[in-house]
Amino acid sequence: MISQTETYESVDVGAEKLNEASLPVVHNGWTRVRYSTTGRAATNYWGENSKTWTYETPVGEAAVSFDYPFNQWHDLTICYVGHGWKPVHQKTDYLDSDGHQPDDVPYRVLEMTKPSGEHSFVIFGVLDAKGDPLAPPKPETLRDRLFAKVLHGPLIRMFADQPVAPVDLDLNTYQIQIFTQNDRELTEEDRIAMQQQFQSFARLFRQRFQQ
């Protein structure tokens, strides 16, 4: 029987092994144009490590990122608001309705704008230490609802790049996100395509870093 610690270590090793070849050059009509890695302080809210595959898509470039480690379900809203983006629409899909595949990852969608007129679309989800999908928390308490409101205000700017508590290695979580920036809002057809691509890439990530 594999111990809990051994399971976490194997997932960490799998995450570290992810490289440019871990995702295909061409995937469902998207063509990879570059790959990059980013290292940060262990307490950075964006995560200590990011591996990013940038694809050319029908709506422009899209960055597919694998960010880690965190120690809970990580809400990217804080990060983007802290960098000048204003959320105009947010949707969380807990996959508790029909029409989903058994291995789909629950996700959150953010559509944002900047005063300069730029638009962005972000879809992200989280895997737990075993590589299984982790559902976003539901804002059921008054504190959660108040915090959600704060996310849309200027106060969050002072927190986005500030240190957070060190990650507990026994509770590692891993974030998958797709980010695209455009001069217009995406159409509903574009949004659906993004959600489908997110699930497709999520399956690839789970296969790769659990090997």
Side-chain angles (χ1 to χ4, degrees), residues 9-31:
E9 290 176 349
S10 68
V11 173
D12 288 341
V13 170
E16 290 298 328
K17 286 184 176 179
L18 288 174
N19 55 40
E20 183 173 4
S22 297
L23 295 184
V25 175
V26 178
H27 187 65
N28 296 336
W30 290 17
T31 302

Side-chain angles (χ1 to χ4, degrees), residues 157-171:
R157 296 180 186 280
M158 69 179 68
F159 298 109
D161 288 319
Q162 298 304 310
V164 294
V167 170
D168 182 342
L169 295 180
D170 287 340
L171 297 172

